Every structure is written in C-alpha cells, then in structure tokens.
C-alpha cells in the first residue's frame, strides 16, 4: 500500500459515512478513481455495514417488551423533587383552563375584599376625623375648661396655640353641652364637657 | 450515503405528556425506541437476555429522570446514552472486560495490520452473516458499540461521541479499528 493509500485509508470510513469536509471528499474520490486497492477496501466497508444491518434486523421480535416496561414503571416512585415539579406543572395547566381562570379571579377578589376592606375602613375613618369641618351654629363663646382651647369664632378653626389648628368636629346644640375636637399633630381627640356635665 | 434515522411525528408532545406522568405517552415512546435501545445494549454486551434486561432498565431510568431531559440532544441520543452507560457499567460489574479509555483507543490504530490485501468475500453471502456474528464477538464492547451505532442505528460521529461520552476523534479511531478488525477476522474465518 502506497503512502498516499495509507493516508487515504484513514479517510475511507468517514468518506463512506459522509463525515469528511468537502475538499477531503474530493481528494478521496479522486484517489479512488485511480486506486483499485482502496476501492476494494471501501467496498468491504460497505459490505460489512450492509451485513451488520441485516444481522441486527434478524434479531427476534420483542414480544411483550413494552408491557414489561409498563409494569415496571407502574411501581416507580419518582423522586420528590420530580413529583413536586409535576404537581406544579399540573397546577399551571389547571389554572390555564377557563374554569381555573374563573376560580383564580374569584379567589383574588375574595382576598382583596378581606385584606383591603378593614384598611379602607380605618383609612376613611381617620380622614373623617382629620378633615377640617366647618363649625355650624356656634353663636356664643363657650366657657372652656382650663386645659381646653378657646373657642373664638363661628365657623372657624380653633387654634391650640402651637401653630396647628384644633378642629371642632361636632357641636350638638347652640348651647353646647359637649364639644369634641381633634389635634392631628398629636393624633389626639379631645372631648370637652362643660362644668357640671361631668 | 445514509442519513441518520430520525423519528417523526408527535414525539415532542409525547415527551411533554410523559413528563407530566402520562404513562400511556411514555409507553408510546417505549414502542418507538425499544428495538434501537435493545440494539445499543446488545452492541455492548452482545447477549440477547442481558440486552433485554438492560433495555428495560434504560426505560425505567428514563421515566424516572424524564424531567432532566432538556431537548439539547435528541430524545433518542439521550436514551442511547443511558443504555450505553448501563451496558458498560454492567460489563465492568461482571468483570468481563477492562474498559478502554479514550487515550488508549488512540493507540489502537497501530494494532491494525495492513488494511490492504485480498477482500474477505471468498465465502458465499449466506455464510457471511454467520461469520460476521462471530467476528462481532471478537471485538471489544467499545468497538462493537461504535460500529453498530454507526452502521445499524445510523448515528453521526457527533451523536456517537455524545452517546458514548468520548471525543469525536476517539469515535473515528475506534470505528476505523473496528472496520478493519472485522475485515481481518472475516478473512481469518474464510475457508482455505
């Protein structure tokens, strides 16, 4: 075998398998055209391949193989992580269905009501206490308790004397027996009862 | 030139369903690949009963670990790799053979005698199959696996490299060695 034949011989298998680069395929093809020995070798490779396929195709049929596998995998307990992931996948599939989407929306609405409602109540109640209300029907000066701020004007805000106005939120009558105001700065609500009413 | 065998149809859907625990879908995949997986196991152990047992175990392992299959390789290549690993492990466990490493395989080329010479086709075609069966037994499991994966299963060199987890160069040298060794053995078996 010539030196070139040895070199080509290494490429004959990949040539037969179509695993050479295009320029190598051309090189081998050119050599085969002029070298009967390498051509015989390639024919032998080809024949071996055909016979191997025929040999393996003559293996006995696999009776009940799939059934035997099915029995074995029936008893297989997949790893916990796999089962969790599988369960989550199935959950996602359920959610994607129309019924699943409806259920999810209902749950979200219920949760929103449960969570948001108490907060909303508190929020609006707090706003009601801190919003400035006009004082109605105050026609006379009220004698305040020593600690109480002075009521000065009808329909105006009371000044607690520290820059932040106290707000009279409610007077019951023209001669009030009870006055209530809040001090937002101290987050305090004061209920004032005239003397003799305590 | 033959192209590698490629499954068609709804394989991706079957895999997706099987991943979610659908045993029926997995059963369809078993049906689709049972012969090839047995073929891979048989290529290594060269014993029908052992190959069937290993092929069953391959599918059980595949079912258990289906979630780890990420479609980077084809499903068949993934299955073949499981089968080849199990078969090689089985062979080692049985102590039947010292498994060759990739670097050892590189030196195998030097063992091949002159590849030229007379063709082995001196016997009738009917005898050839029988002689080939005997010749296959003379090969190491690695060489049998490489040549059967190529010639029977139609895998590319890169796919064989992935299945047997060895470099492409090792695949090429093993294939070269296996072809020439088979050719030599067939010549030895030939009647004078």
């Amino acid at each position: 075998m010539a030196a070139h034949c040895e070199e080509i011989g290494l490429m004959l298998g990949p040539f037969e398998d179509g695993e050479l680069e295009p320029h190598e395929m051309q090189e081998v093809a050119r050599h085969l055209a002029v070298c009967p020995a390498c051509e015989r070798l390639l024919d032998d490779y080809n024949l071996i391949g055909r016979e191997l396929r025929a040999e393996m195709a003559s293996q006995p049929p696999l009776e009940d193989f799939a059934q035997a596998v099915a029995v074995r995998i029936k008893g297989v307990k997949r790893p916990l992580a796999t089962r969790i992931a599988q369960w989550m996948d199935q959950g996602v599939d359920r959610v994607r269905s129309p019924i699943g989407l409806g259920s999810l929306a209902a749950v979200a609405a219920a949760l929103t009501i449960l969570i948001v409602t108490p907060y909303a109540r508190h929020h609006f109640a707090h706003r009601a206490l801190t919003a400035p209300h006009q004082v109605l029907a105050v026609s006379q000066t009220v004698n305040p308790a020593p600690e109480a701020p002075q009521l000065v004007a009808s329909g105006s805000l009371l000044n607690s004397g520290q820059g932040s106005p106290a707000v009279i939120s409610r007077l019951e009558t023209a001669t009030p027996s009870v006055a209530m105001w809040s001090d937002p700065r101290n987050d305090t609500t004061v209920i004032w009862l005239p003397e003799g009413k305590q | 030139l033959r192209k590698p065998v490629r499954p068609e149809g709804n394989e991706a859907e079957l895999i997706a369903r099987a991943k979610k625990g659908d045993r029926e879908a997995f059963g369809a995949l078993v049906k689709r690949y049972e012969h090839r997986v047995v073929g891979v196991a048989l290529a290594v152990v060269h014993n029908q009963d052992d190959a069937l047992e290993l092929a069953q175990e391959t599918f059980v392992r595949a079912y258990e670990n289906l979630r780890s299959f990420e479609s980077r390789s084809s499903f068949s290549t993934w299955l073949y790799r499981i089968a080849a690993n199990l078969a090689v492990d089985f062979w080692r466990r049985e102590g039947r053979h010292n498994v060759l490493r990739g670097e050892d395989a590189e030196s195998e080329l030097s063992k091949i005698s002159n590849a030229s010479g007379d063709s082995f086709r001196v016997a009738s075609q009917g005898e050839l199959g029988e002689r080939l069966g005997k010749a296959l037994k003379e090969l190491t499991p690695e060489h049998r696996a490489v040549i059967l994966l190529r010639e029977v299963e139609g895998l590319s060199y890169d796919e064989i490299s992935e299945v047997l987890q060895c470099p492409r160069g090792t695949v090429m040298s093993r294939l070269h060695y296996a072809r020439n060794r088979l050719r030599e053995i067939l010549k030895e078996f030939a009647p004078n």
Side-chain angles (χ1 to χ4, degrees):
Chain A
M1 184 181 256
H4 192 47
C5 285
E6 292 219 1
E7 190 186 317
I8 293 291
L10 291 172
M11 295 197 280
L12 282 179
F15 177 82
E16 164 78 359
D17 299 329
E19 294 271 359
L20 290 179
E21 296 296 322
H23 70 278
E24 294 171 319
M25 295 289 278
Q26 284 178 1
E27 187 185 348
V28 174
R30 273 198 298 269
H31 179 82
L32 286 171
V34 296
C35 181
C38 285
E39 198 181 2
R40 251 195 328 272
L41 188 57
L42 184 64
D43 284 347
D44 283 353
Y45 287 170
N46 195 288
L47 183 61
I48 287 171
R50 281 207 309 273
E51 287 299 322
L52 282 174
R53 285 189 287 282
E55 169 80 4
M56 299 310 282
S58 68
Q59 295 293 330
L62 300 173
E63 286 176 10
D64 302 329
F65 179 87
Q67 185 62 33
V69 173
V71 169
R72 285 189 64 179
I73 64 170
K74 207 170 184 179
V76 166
K77 199 166 187 181
R78 288 175 141 186
L80 182 62
T82 303
R83 278 182 281 145
I84 290 171
Q86 184 182 320
W87 181 81
M88 288 177 74
D89 275 358
Q90 286 170 346
V92 168
D93 283 353
R94 281 189 210 110
V95 165
R96 278 180 188 152
S97 71
I99 294 173
L101 280 173
S103 305
L104 190 67
V107 168
L111 281 174
T112 306
I113 290 166
L114 281 171
I115 293 167
V116 172
T117 304
Y119 171 77
R121 274 190 195 146
H122 173 79
H123 176 74
F124 287 116
H126 185 71
R127 278 192 67 181
L129 283 173
T130 56
H133 293 280
Q134 274 198 323
V135 178
L136 300 173
V138 176
S139 58
Q140 62 184 79
T141 301
V142 179
N143 293 325
E147 309 82 29
Q150 184 78 32
L151 291 175
V152 290
S154 170
S156 67
L157 301 177
L158 295 175
N159 195 315
S160 65
Q162 294 178 22
S164 175
V167 180
I168 294 175
S169 61
R170 186 176 170 205
L171 288 176
E172 288 184 339
T173 61
T175 309
S177 57
V178 176
M180 183 170 74
W181 65 90
S182 63
D183 183 354
R185 194 166 36 81
N186 295 321
D187 199 20
T188 305
T189 299
V190 178
I191 299 172
W192 174 72
L193 298 172
E195 282 182 26
K197 292 280 180 185
Q198 294 175 21
Chain B
L1 300 176
R2 287 173 294 107
K3 294 284 179 191
V5 180
R6 284 279 174 240
E8 293 176 357
N10 55 351
E11 180 170 294
E13 188 194 326
L14 287 174
I15 293 168
R17 281 169 51 199
K19 275 185 175 182
K20 290 173 184 170
D22 185 339
R23 292 196 185 103
E24 206 171 298
F26 189 75
L29 291 168
V30 173
K31 275 279 179 200
R32 182 173 289 202
Y33 288 109
E34 57 185 8
H35 282 95
R36 292 177 196 161
V37 170
V38 171
V40 171
L42 195 58
V44 178
V45 298
H46 211 62
N47 174 292
Q48 181 78 10
D49 292 337
D50 290 342
L52 284 171
E53 179 60 30
L54 287 165
Q56 274 192 24
E57 185 62 25
T58 298
F59 283 112
V60 171
R61 297 278 180 97
Y63 182 74
E64 285 173 333
N65 299 291
L66 201 52
R67 288 196 69 85
S68 68
F69 171 65
E70 291 173 342
S71 306
R72 278 195 295 251
S73 61
S74 70
F75 183 68
S76 59
T77 305
W78 185 70
L79 269 182
Y80 294 161
R81 188 162 63 233
I82 297 173
N85 281 337
L86 283 173
V88 170
D89 284 350
F90 171 82
W91 195 269
R92 283 176 183 156
R93 212 170 43 242
E94 296 288 305
R96 297 183 188 176
H97 173 68
N98 291 323
V99 176
L100 293 173
R101 302 286 170 200
E103 59 270 26
D104 298 328
E106 292 299 324
S107 67
E108 286 163 11
L109 287 176
S110 61
K111 299 179 196 166
I112 304 169
S113 64
N114 194 331
S116 66
D118 295 335
S119 169
F120 56 80
R121 284 174 291 167
V122 287
S124 68
Q125 289 290 316
E127 280 179 279
L128 196 55
E130 189 185 339
R131 283 199 274 142
L132 196 61
K134 288 178 185 167
L136 275 174
K137 285 182 183 166
E138 300 281 317
L139 292 180
T140 66
E142 292 75 23
H143 293 109
R144 254 199 322 267
V146 164
I147 197 162
L148 291 178
L149 286 174
R150 174 60 225 163
E151 295 290 5
V152 179
E153 304 304 330
L155 298 195
S156 69
Y157 289 5
D158 287 337
E159 286 170 321
I160 297 171
S161 159
E162 203 179 333
V163 168
L164 299 179
Q165 293 169 293
C166 63
R168 181 185 158 97
T170 304
V171 172
M172 291 178 80
S173 64
R174 285 184 183 175
L175 200 48
H176 183 71
Y177 176 84
R179 279 176 166 143
N180 286 308
R181 186 76 188 117
L182 279 181
R183 192 168 174 268
E184 276 186 355
I185 296 169
L186 288 172
K187 276 199 288 188
E188 286 166 14
F189 282 130
N192 292 319

